[in-house]
Amino acid sequence: MNYASTRDRKQERLYSLPEAMMTALAPDGGLFVPVVIPQINNAPLGQCSSFVEMAFEVLHPYFEDSELESSLPEICMDAFSFPVDLKQISPKTTVLELFHGPTAAFKDFGARFLASAMDRLLELSGQRRTILVATSGDTGSAVASAFHGKKNIDVKVLFPKGRVSERQRIQLTCWDSNVSSYEVDGSFDDCQAMVKQAFMDPGLRGLASANSINLGRLLPQTTYYYFASFSYALQAGRMPTIIVPSGNLGNCTAAFMAQIAGAPIERIVLATNANRSVEDYLEKGGFEPRASIQTLANAMDVGSPSNMERLMYLYPDFKDFKSQIKAFSVSDEEIRATIKAVYDETGYVMCPHTATAECVRRRDLGDREAIVVSTASPAKFNHIVEPIIGRQLMVPSQLESLLKRPCKAIAIKADYHELF
Ligand SMILES: *Cc1c(COP(=O)(O)O)cnc(C)c1O
């Protein structure tokens, strides 16, 4: 399998999987995409006895003829070391719980897979890399946790002082050995600017990126869409509609790739918070990035979603794009009301991101049956959820063990020279 840039429609320059994973962004500024999306053969999938086995089956074509082909089974075992749950919580709502990994959000799937794959590639070539990641919360902890203890990679996490929640701060600073945390006297934008400057500094070598545009994070996110749609179709006798809480659009791009590959998915619907750049595109055509707006579902506060470029690559014709992709925006008030309604009706507690998807199911899909993708544990957002439902949430065991670890952060000014 070869990979090409989204900006090279004729696919004149081809890249290997390791090249795509190690560089993240194509030299022409585009994002890496597979030259074809391999069609899956349903028969072997029906015989898989576990999620890991199914993940291997669907990812294998992407790894064919690469240096990583023979280690794919171990990478899958290493990365997907926690359960994926498909839970029916009411007659109309089945929740796909993706938050049982070490940092209690779906980003564990992509980050752990990339960490395992990258570490193996570096081992094979005898090299070392340093990963720089700027975070406003969720991504940094998933990346730190996933790369912690890897032999050939160091991680430097940058977060803005005083602008992350107490629980987020602990999850960003409870690491040691190859992971260091930097508390930057500045904003999230300052942190991001520092990372960009470091990457442009020709004097600095051996830097790598683990951000969400990396193909090594995208591919593993397709796996749970096969799992969910096959399980649902088998049980219900029909294909599901899947609603994906979306920000940077990586998670929903993976869902579309699974659908194009032949997974039994009727329709994919995007739920966004008040950041409505996708909705505006669908209404007007012509994509315009915007400044991001702060909302209760803060991991989706993205004004200029980077994976839009991949979606437009998959559906280059605007008419086609419009017929395949539906997106609906949800306000903070509706997020609160949905968390409350679901709790009152079923006893189930949703995080604010998940609630955007359930709101779309009720409000925009005529209360139709659907799979609602749950991207994070509500316990990560206890400060928002607890006052709405009027009770305290249990802390999941994996979060509890993180919250007990000793913390260490290095305070620095917003200047990237202080990182090296
Ligand atoms: C990152 C994140 C999202 C958004 O996913 P994208 O792939 O960026 O669209 C949604 N919910 C949670 C909890 C997240 O951490």
Side-chain angles (χ1 to χ4, degrees), residues 82-118:
F82 50 88
V84 183
D85 251 357
L86 194 62
K87 257 188 206 160
Q88 183 164 12
I89 61 157
S90 72
K92 302 280 182 64
T93 303
T94 301
V95 178
L96 175 61
E97 291 186 350
L98 301 177
F99 56 73
H100 298 293
T103 69
F106 86 94
K107 293 202 169 65
D108 286 328
F109 284 89
R112 289 179 64 79
F113 191 90
L114 178 66
S116 183
M118 239 189 204

Side-chain angles (χ1 to χ4, degrees), residues 137-170:
D138 262 8
T139 307
S141 52
V143 168
S145 157
F147 285 85
H148 184 233
K150 295 284 182 241
K151 275 201 319 212
N152 305 295
I153 307 168
D154 295 312
V155 177
K156 293 177 192 289
V157 181
L158 284 69
F159 65 96
K161 181 179 170 181
R163 308 209 192 177
V164 298
S165 77
E166 191 46 37
R167 257 186 208 179
Q168 279 178 327
R169 187 180 189 281
I170 298 173

Side-chain angles (χ1 to χ4, degrees), residues 107-371:
K107 293 202 169 65
D108 286 328
F109 284 89
R112 289 179 64 79
F113 191 90
L114 178 66
S116 183
M118 239 189 204
D119 197 40
R120 270 161 224 268
L121 280 175
L122 292 168
E123 182 76 34
L124 287 172
S125 62
Q127 292 179 302
R128 266 198 93 73
R129 287 284 187 280
T130 298
I131 285 191
L132 286 187
V133 53
T135 186
S136 55
D138 262 8
T139 307
S141 52
V143 168
S145 157
F147 285 85
H148 184 233
K150 295 284 182 241
K151 275 201 319 212
N152 305 295
I153 307 168
D154 295 312
V155 177
K156 293 177 192 289
V157 181
L158 284 69
F159 65 96
K161 181 179 170 181
R163 308 209 192 177
V164 298
S165 77
E166 191 46 37
R167 257 186 208 179
Q168 279 178 327
R169 187 180 189 281
I170 298 173
Q171 289 179 69
L172 289 170
T173 57
C174 65
W175 310 102
D176 50 24
S177 65
N178 66 327
V179 178
S180 326
S181 309
Y182 294 85
E183 186 163 42
V184 176
D185 192 4
S187 67
F188 170 62
D189 291 336
D190 294 330
C191 295
Q192 252 186 336
M194 289 164 71
V195 170
K196 277 198 187 137
Q197 283 165 357
F199 272 95
M200 287 188 311
D201 184 336
L204 288 173
R205 283 172 189 273
L207 293 183
S209 153
N211 62 21
S212 71
I213 55 170
N214 195 308
L215 189 77
R217 282 179 58 173
L218 186 70
L219 294 178
Q221 289 175 2
T222 60
T223 59
Y224 42 76
Y225 290 109
Y226 295 92
F227 167 79
S229 58
F230 274 103
S231 311
Y232 186 97
L234 202 64
Q235 264 194 0
R238 58 187 174 276
M239 302 200 288
T241 291
I242 302 183
I243 313 172
V244 187
S246 297
N248 228 344
L249 308 180
N251 204 5
C252 68
T253 300
F256 285 109
M257 285 170 66
Q259 188 186 40
I260 293 168
I265 301 171
E266 175 73 34
R267 172 161 284 288
I268 295 158
V269 177
L270 279 54
T272 69
N273 55 25
N275 291 279
R276 9 178 329 122
S277 43
V278 186
E279 288 83 354
D280 289 346
Y281 175 67
L282 287 169
E283 272 165 32
K284 301 183 197 122
F287 180 63
E288 281 178 43
R290 330 218 144 203
S292 67
I293 303 167
Q294 272 191 12
T295 75
L296 292 176
N298 66 2
M300 291 160 39
D301 291 348
V302 181
S304 174
S306 37
N307 278 294
M308 189 70 183
E309 185 157 338
R310 279 200 178 102
L311 278 186
M312 288 164 122
Y313 180 88
L314 291 178
Y315 303 103
D317 176 56
F318 181 58
K319 266 206 201 115
D320 198 26
F321 189 104
K322 263 180 86 146
S323 80
Q324 293 300 321
I325 301 175
K326 305 284 173 218
F328 300 97
S329 160
V330 174
S331 69
D332 275 0
E333 207 172 311
E334 291 170 309
I335 290 175
R336 282 202 191 87
T338 305
I339 293 173
K340 174 108 175 70
V342 171
Y343 181 67
D344 288 347
E345 290 162 21
T346 69
Y348 187 85
V349 185
M350 286 179 172
C351 88
H353 310 81
T354 310
T356 62
E358 172 64 11
C359 176
V360 165
R361 189 195 67 72
R362 292 173 181 228
R363 190 193 64 187
D364 305 295
L365 303 187
D367 203 23
R368 272 205 358 234
E369 213 180 315
I371 293 180

